[in-house]
Amino acid sequence: MSIPAKLLVDIHTHVYLPRYASLLRSRSSVPFIRTITNPQGTREDRLLILDQEPSGGRPVGAQYWDREEKLKFMDKHGIDISIVRYSKQGVISANPWLDFLPASQAHTLASELNNDLEQYCATSPLVVDHKIKRLYGFGLLPLVPEISTSALLEIVQQIHNLPHLRGLIMGTRGIGKGLDDEALDPVWAAIEKAKLVVFLHPHYGVDSSAWGEKENGHVLPLALGFPFETTTAATRLILSGVFDRFPSLRLLLAHSGGALPALSSRLASCIEHDPIVASRLQHDARYYLGKLYLDAVAYGPEELGFVSDVISRAERYKSGSLTKVDANRSVGSRQLLFGTDHPFFPPLSSSDKWASVTWNLEAIADVEGWTQDDKDGVRGGNAISLFNLEE
Amino acid sequence: MSIPAKLLVDIHTHVYLPRYASLLRSRSSVPFIRTITNPQGTREDRLLILDQEPSGGRPVGAQYWDREEKLKFMDKHGIDISIVRYSKQGVISANPWLDFLPASQAHTLASELNNDLEQYCATSPLVVDHKIKRLYGFGLLPLVPEISTSALLEIVQQIHNLPHLRGLIMGTRGIGKGLDDEALDPVWAAIEKAKLVVFLHPHYGVDSSAWGEKENGHVLPLALGFPFETTTAATRLILSGVFDRFPSLRLLLAHSGGALPALSSRLASCIEHDPIVASRLQHDARYYLGKLYLDAVAYGPEELGFVSDVISRAERYKSGSLTKVDANRSVGSRQLLFGTDHPFFPPLSSSDKWASVTWNLEAIADVEGWTQDDKDGVRGGNAISLFNLEE
């Protein structure tokens, strides 16, 4: 077994597989896909996720479900391997995963979609000169209200058994009450035991009244709402003691953890000063950030350097730590992983490479205090290890 | 004129003056203060800001309005000067400033409160061996719906004329539609011309349904909701072009800018990829962060180092910048200013010094890459310059 060196691995990339698109096409209430004829006279698919969709729906197309499109995008940007995940249109809140379905149908569909995704990855080409595939995936849990614990555990086991699925995705609402719901404890236990990586991605955003009345496109819900949602979910997980009960859980947060790293010392201070929670957790809140994996989708080198520091310093905040642990920025780099967010953020005008990808690659290259090994790790080596892609 | 060296200046510290407390005592609907007899048989004041206040209201007392208490707190922590601001209970959303009052009453009260605050500061003792007072203040604008522009401009002028008021505070809602409301343009113009520093502080938090059903005390609204509110308000200001129209405006953000620094490259990317806003602003979003002043109320050295980097790098993102400007972390330190958030976050058990203060002092001392001069600046020198406290 050897560790392939210097591969570029994209761990944050979205896909809608045909079965999910077909389901949406078969529906006539949100969420659904309809085909319209655009002003240029050509037909195009639109996804509608709100009853009053102002723009007639968001254009969706081959980039969402065609594997050749994904591979072409990967080739254009020198990406060797992608670990894909089922997606949502990443723009507007109240956007569906499976939670518009009744529990039994969600259960069956999740199982079918996981098999589809296994097939999508298993039949993908090999990385040139390597024995590993170009596509791996995150499976899908049927996180809908009323789902039985046994159904969830069955799907965790299914994902564990499918050889090209190396983790699973979760939304922030859990089965309706959020991820701090104790009802999920058996699920966390099963995930921890199966050593599956949980990719936590925002989906619903936050209450849109905060954005005001000005026309700002999708900037506020995307730039702020999504990170706020991730931050809140991860903070609630920390406060609920999930990381004390399941210390080997491996959680990967989208968008470099949103605002959580920047607010983590404030969080620790607020906990320390609040009689309700001050004695609840085993460690200072900042300790738990050392348990997280973060994608490197932050678009700036200072951001990546900082989140690397926050992971590096975590040991300093372990209960009983008597000395200041030296926070070498390299330590944290091992828990950061390159991602693109494809097919979101396409360039506004045609361009050879996508700025949303090159900014993230340049950010990794420009982090002060990271060695070349650290950068290679963030570009791919860390993903190879985390997802067991060694040959 | 000389610049006093090595003073410790607290620029984030709250006060309720007696006139405001009296107003709240005179009311019988929220917001109001009532006196209760506690289980120990002693009488204490409680502030009620919600109709169904679960805990019978928040205890309020001398630490909110008694100047001797403020000075005692300052002495205990070696704070030479405080620049105080009118406050709200910093805990629960929908919490009053003046926006529960009709416009004419808010106008009159703001004017009276500004005179009260001037008096509070003007009669404060001198810093030992110096010719400057120990207390200065931020004035208050009557930002309520239906207020006339002329009333707002009159109060800006009043604050400008009161010698111990060196800035003003604003809430994030403006006169009802947020700070990106063009109706505020004449106010920004007047503030810019008067060279007053605007302290932007959160107040309403965000929609509390995001916090879920678990009992987590006040941790989520304080640790996350407040920074989210500040981040949203400042981002909306950037998107509205206020900093393009009023390039000399001096805006000071509470809690080290909340999540804005950490999300600023993501913000820039979202703007770059959104057809509605991509061409609106004169510069990359990150340029505008170089115009901000941030309090150093972030509780950790990595956080302060990072926000310092974000300010330092701003010039790199000026339109037309062709070369990568070297981001020396010292540059950003000049726009960071020590604060305590007193009287919030008192220690849970009696203690000589407050952890909420010492954490912030230690964070400043521990920032990697800051010189002793940089640290002295953040502790007080920057505030002396920004608020013209030179002797």
Side-chain angles (χ1 to χ4, degrees):
Chain A
M1 192 169 82
S2 68
I3 296 177
K6 314 243 177 185
L7 295 182
L8 185 60
V9 182
D10 179 2
I11 61 92
H12 186 161
T13 179
H14 298 262
V15 67
Y16 266 60
L17 290 197
R19 188 187 304 270
Y20 189 68
S22 297
L23 170 73
L24 295 183
R25 273 181 219 288
S26 74
R27 293 170 54 86
S28 56
S29 62
V30 290
F32 69 107
I33 290 174
R34 67 173 176 192
T35 305
I36 62 157
T37 303
N38 66 25
Q40 290 76 42
T42 53
R43 291 167 68 75
E44 66 177 44
D45 287 335
R46 296 291 185 100
L47 174 68
L48 286 91
I49 57 181
L50 295 174
D51 278 323
Q52 308 288 336
E53 194 83 37
S55 56
R58 309 265 319 158
V60 288
Q63 73 276 26
Y64 286 87
W65 41 71
D66 185 334
R67 193 172 67 187
E68 288 311 306
E69 292 289 323
K70 184 66 80 184
L71 290 166
K72 259 195 257 174
F73 168 83
M74 290 166 63
D75 289 340
K76 179 185 266 192
H77 296 90
I79 296 168
D80 297 294
I81 299 171
S82 288
I83 305 178
V84 301
R85 40 168 295 140
Y86 279 105
S87 188
K88 73 274 153 313
Q89 268 291 71
V91 171
I92 303 172
S93 62
N95 188 354
W97 298 44
L98 295 177
D99 54 4
F100 54 94
L101 296 174
S104 65
Q105 200 183 337
H107 181 191
T108 307
L109 184 63
S111 171
E112 291 167 347
L113 287 170
N114 287 331
N115 285 325
D116 290 352
L117 190 61
E118 169 63 23
Q119 191 66 13
Y120 175 97
C121 299
T123 59
S124 72
L126 292 169
V127 179
V128 174
D129 294 334
H130 289 278
K131 293 173 202 154
I132 40 180
K133 298 281 181 189
R134 296 198 66 188
L135 295 168
Y136 292 85
F138 290 97
L140 187 69
L141 284 185
L143 288 173
V144 298
E146 322 264 309
I147 194 86
S148 68
T149 302
S150 63
L152 292 172
L153 297 180
E154 192 187 296
I155 299 288
V156 171
Q157 194 56 44
Q158 178 204 22
I159 295 169
H160 180 56
N161 291 341
L162 289 171
H164 294 82
L165 301 194
R166 300 300 171 99
L168 52 84
I169 56 173
M170 284 175 89
T172 59
R173 288 201 182 158
I175 55 175
K177 292 184 176 178
L179 297 176
D180 51 6
D181 184 352
E182 280 98 359
L184 291 174
D185 268 17
V187 181
W188 297 123
I191 292 170
E192 185 185 46
K193 190 169 165 223
K195 296 185 180 164
L196 290 166
V197 176
V198 177
F199 191 175
L200 186 63
H201 193 287
H203 176 61
Y204 303 93
V206 297
D207 175 37
S208 63
S209 66
W211 311 140
E213 296 170 11
K214 298 279 166 196
E215 177 53 270
N216 287 315
H218 294 110
V219 170
L220 291 165
L222 278 181
L224 307 186
F226 267 16
F228 290 175
E229 180 188 352
T230 308
T231 304
T232 302
T235 303
R236 285 172 55 182
L237 268 180
I238 292 171
L239 283 171
S240 74
V242 159
F243 293 105
D244 285 334
R245 295 197 294 286
F246 307 102
S248 301
L249 199 60
R250 296 187 300 177
L251 194 67
L252 167 63
L253 299 188
H255 313 124
S256 297
L260 180 60
L263 299 178
S264 56
S265 291
R266 179 171 174 83
L267 173 64
S269 175
C270 287
I271 291 173
E272 172 104 355
H273 290 92
D274 195 301
I276 305 286
V277 291
S279 312
R280 182 190 295 171
L281 301 176
Q282 288 177 21
H283 308 279
D284 180 291
R286 287 166 280 195
Y287 169 75
Y288 302 100
L289 275 85
K291 298 189 160 281
L292 300 175
Y293 294 82
L294 307 177
D295 72 23
V297 182
Y299 306 97
E302 289 78 15
E303 284 83 349
L304 294 183
F306 169 63
V307 299
S308 190
D309 284 342
V310 166
I311 295 173
S312 303
R313 76 181 179 188
E315 279 298 311
R316 195 197 298 166
Y317 296 102
K318 188 171 181 169
S319 274
S321 266
L322 292 177
T323 54
K324 275 198 185 178
V325 178
D326 184 35
N328 179 337
R329 184 173 267 192
S330 286
V331 173
S333 75
R334 284 159 219 151
Q335 284 160 249
L336 294 176
L337 306 98
F338 170 70
T340 63
D341 226 343
H342 180 259
F344 303 112
F345 306 112
L348 292 187
S349 52
S350 73
S351 102
D352 184 34
K353 293 193 177 182
W354 290 25
S356 53
V357 178
T358 55
W359 284 24
N360 280 325
L361 286 172
E362 286 164 11
I364 294 168
D366 289 347
V367 173
E368 240 181 81
W370 276 358
T371 65
Q372 190 55 49
D373 275 357
D374 295 337
K375 294 172 187 176
D376 290 342
V378 177
R379 286 170 56 92
N382 300 339
I384 301 280
S385 305
L386 183 63
F387 297 103
N388 293 311
L389 301 180
E390 291 91 347
E391 295 172 288
Chain B
M1 193 167 85
S2 68
I3 296 177
K6 313 241 177 184
L7 296 183
L8 185 60
V9 182
D10 179 2
I11 61 91
H12 186 161
T13 181
H14 298 262
V15 66
Y16 267 60
L17 291 199
R19 187 187 304 272
Y20 189 68
S22 298
L23 171 73
L24 295 183
R25 276 183 218 286
S26 74
R27 292 170 55 86
S28 57
S29 61
V30 291
F32 70 106
I33 291 173
R34 65 173 178 193
T35 305
I36 61 157
T37 303
N38 66 24
Q40 291 74 43
T42 53
R43 292 168 67 74
E44 65 178 43
D45 286 334
R46 296 292 186 101
L47 174 68
L48 287 92
I49 58 181
L50 295 173
D51 278 323
Q52 307 289 335
E53 195 84 38
S55 57
R58 311 262 319 157
V60 287
Q63 74 275 28
Y64 287 87
W65 41 72
D66 185 334
R67 194 172 68 188
E68 287 311 307
E69 291 289 324
K70 184 68 81 184
L71 290 165
K72 259 195 255 172
F73 168 83
M74 290 166 63
D75 288 341
K76 179 184 264 192
H77 295 91
I79 296 167
D80 297 293
I81 300 170
S82 288
I83 305 177
V84 301
R85 41 167 297 140
Y86 278 106
S87 189
K88 72 276 154 310
Q89 268 290 70
V91 170
I92 302 173
S93 62
N95 188 353
W97 297 45
L98 295 177
D99 54 4
F100 55 93
L101 296 174
S104 65
Q105 200 183 336
H107 181 190
T108 307
L109 184 63
S111 172
E112 291 167 348
L113 287 170
N114 286 331
N115 285 325
D116 289 353
L117 190 60
E118 169 63 22
Q119 192 65 14
Y120 176 96
C121 299
T123 58
S124 72
L126 291 171
V127 179
V128 175
D129 294 335
H130 290 277
K131 295 174 202 152
I132 41 180
K133 298 281 180 187
R134 295 198 67 188
L135 295 169
Y136 293 85
F138 290 96
L140 187 69
L141 285 185
L143 287 173
V144 298
E146 322 262 309
I147 193 88
S148 69
T149 302
S150 61
L152 292 172
L153 296 180
E154 191 187 295
I155 300 289
V156 170
Q157 194 55 45
Q158 178 205 20
I159 295 168
H160 180 56
N161 291 341
L162 289 171
H164 294 81
L165 302 193
R166 300 299 171 100
L168 52 84
I169 57 172
M170 283 175 89
T172 60
R173 289 202 182 156
I175 55 173
K177 292 184 175 178
L179 297 177
D180 51 6
D181 185 350
E182 281 97 358
L184 291 173
D185 269 17
V187 181
W188 297 122
I191 291 170
E192 186 184 45
K193 191 170 164 221
K195 296 185 178 162
L196 289 166
V197 176
V198 176
F199 192 174
L200 186 63
H201 192 288
H203 175 60
Y204 303 94
V206 297
D207 174 37
S208 63
S209 66
W211 311 139
E213 297 171 10
K214 298 276 167 198
E215 176 54 89
N216 289 314
H218 295 110
V219 170
L220 291 165
L222 278 182
L224 307 186
F226 267 16
F228 290 175
E229 181 189 352
T230 308
T231 303
T232 303
T235 303
R236 285 172 56 181
L237 268 180
I238 291 172
L239 283 171
S240 75
V242 159
F243 293 104
D244 286 334
R245 296 198 294 287
F246 306 103
S248 302
L249 200 59
R250 297 188 297 177
L251 195 67
L252 167 63
L253 299 186
H255 313 122
S256 296
L260 181 60
L263 299 178
S264 56
S265 290
R266 179 172 174 82
L267 174 63
S269 175
C270 287
I271 291 174
E272 171 105 356
H273 290 91
D274 195 301
I276 305 286
V277 291
S279 312
R280 182 189 294 170
L281 301 176
Q282 288 177 21
H283 307 279
D284 181 291
R286 286 166 280 195
Y287 169 74
Y288 302 101
L289 275 84
K291 297 187 161 283
L292 300 174
Y293 294 81
L294 307 177
D295 71 24
V297 182
Y299 306 97
E302 290 77 16
E303 284 82 350
L304 294 183
F306 170 64
V307 299
S308 190
D309 284 342
V310 166
I311 295 173
S312 303
R313 76 181 179 189
E315 277 297 310
R316 194 196 299 165
Y317 296 102
K318 188 171 181 171
S319 274
S321 266
L322 293 176
T323 54
K324 275 198 185 178
V325 178
D326 184 36
N328 180 337
R329 184 172 267 191
S330 286
V331 173
S333 75
R334 283 159 219 149
Q335 284 160 249
L336 295 175
L337 306 98
F338 169 70
T340 62
D341 226 343
H342 180 259
F344 303 111
F345 305 113
L348 292 186
S349 52
S350 73
S351 101
D352 184 33
K353 293 193 177 182
W354 289 24
S356 53
V357 179
T358 55
W359 284 23
N360 280 324
L361 286 172
E362 286 164 10
I364 295 168
D366 289 347
V367 173
E368 239 181 80
W370 276 358
T371 64
Q372 190 55 49
D373 275 357
D374 296 338
K375 294 172 187 176
D376 289 342
V378 177
R379 288 170 55 92
N382 301 339
I384 300 281
S385 304
L386 182 63
F387 297 104
N388 292 311
L389 301 179
E390 291 91 346
E391 295 170 289

